[in-house]
Amino acid sequence: MKYLLAFCATLGLLMVTSTASAQTSPEDLAARCVGAVNGTVERCQNAAADETQECLQKIRRLLADGRERAAHRVAAECVESATERTEKCAQRVNRICDACIDQLVNLGEPQLARRVNMVCKDAISKLRSTLQREKNAIRSAFGG
């Protein structure tokens, strides 16, 4: 459900930016795009933190009950889920960025488009780092 809402928000942003770009400055458009990218990253990082905590609780409970094999299965499922979520978040960021950069280039603002592109690259890097931290936290639940 969270992903559906985020997808709708992304579509809404794209529709708003495409209709409002004729009425707003390129700087305002870039700022809205950066805000949408940063908001997406923040929501994804919050979801990652919540999911990681849930996974760690399950793993620790299983380990405490002596169910190591089950704990490893849960860990594998958690890593797979985290990876899928990160990919979806990255795709969402890329869709926002592609639309915004295209509009800025079409408005004759390649410098502004490059700046937005750098924000987008940083956002993808943050998502990858978050995923790596999740994987490390899950691995550490097993003492290593």
Side-chain angles (χ1 to χ4, degrees):
M1 185 62 159
K2 288 189 272 188
Y3 294 113
L4 179 60
L5 291 174
F7 179 72
C8 291
T10 301
L11 286 179
L13 168 76
L14 295 177
M15 289 172 30
V16 167
T17 57
S18 64
T19 57
S21 63
Q23 301 153 351
T24 58
S25 72
E27 292 79 9
D28 289 340
L29 173 61
R32 279 202 318 271
C33 292
V34 168
V37 167
N38 290 338
T40 299
V41 170
E42 184 176 337
R43 284 187 300 278
C44 290
Q45 287 177 322
N46 289 339
D50 292 345
E51 186 177 356
T52 301
Q53 286 307 310
E54 289 175 25
C55 286
L56 290 173
Q57 288 174 357
K58 289 178 188 176
I59 292 166
R60 289 178 184 136
R61 250 190 317 256
L62 289 167
L63 290 173
D65 291 344
R67 300 180 59 204
E68 189 167 338
R69 196 177 268 171
H72 280 284
R73 273 195 305 276
V74 167
E77 291 168 3
C78 289
V79 167
E80 182 178 333
S81 175
T83 302
E84 288 174 7
R85 186 193 57 255
T86 300
E87 288 172 1
K88 288 177 184 175
C89 289
Q91 289 170 357
R92 198 170 319 132
V93 165
N94 284 329
R95 279 193 303 270
I96 293 168
C97 292
D98 290 347
C100 291
I101 290 167
D102 286 348
Q103 288 181 1
L104 289 168
V105 169
N106 289 339
L107 291 171
E109 294 289 341
Q111 277 297 99
L112 211 44
R114 278 193 283 282
R115 284 189 227 143
V116 169
N117 188 50
M118 289 305 299
V119 169
C120 296
K121 287 182 180 190
D122 289 345
I124 298 296
S125 179
K126 287 178 187 175
L127 292 172
R128 288 185 182 134
S129 294
T130 299
L131 175 60
Q132 191 58 52
R133 282 192 302 274
E134 283 182 271
K135 290 178 179 180
N136 292 342
I138 291 168
R139 280 188 204 108
S140 72
F142 293 95

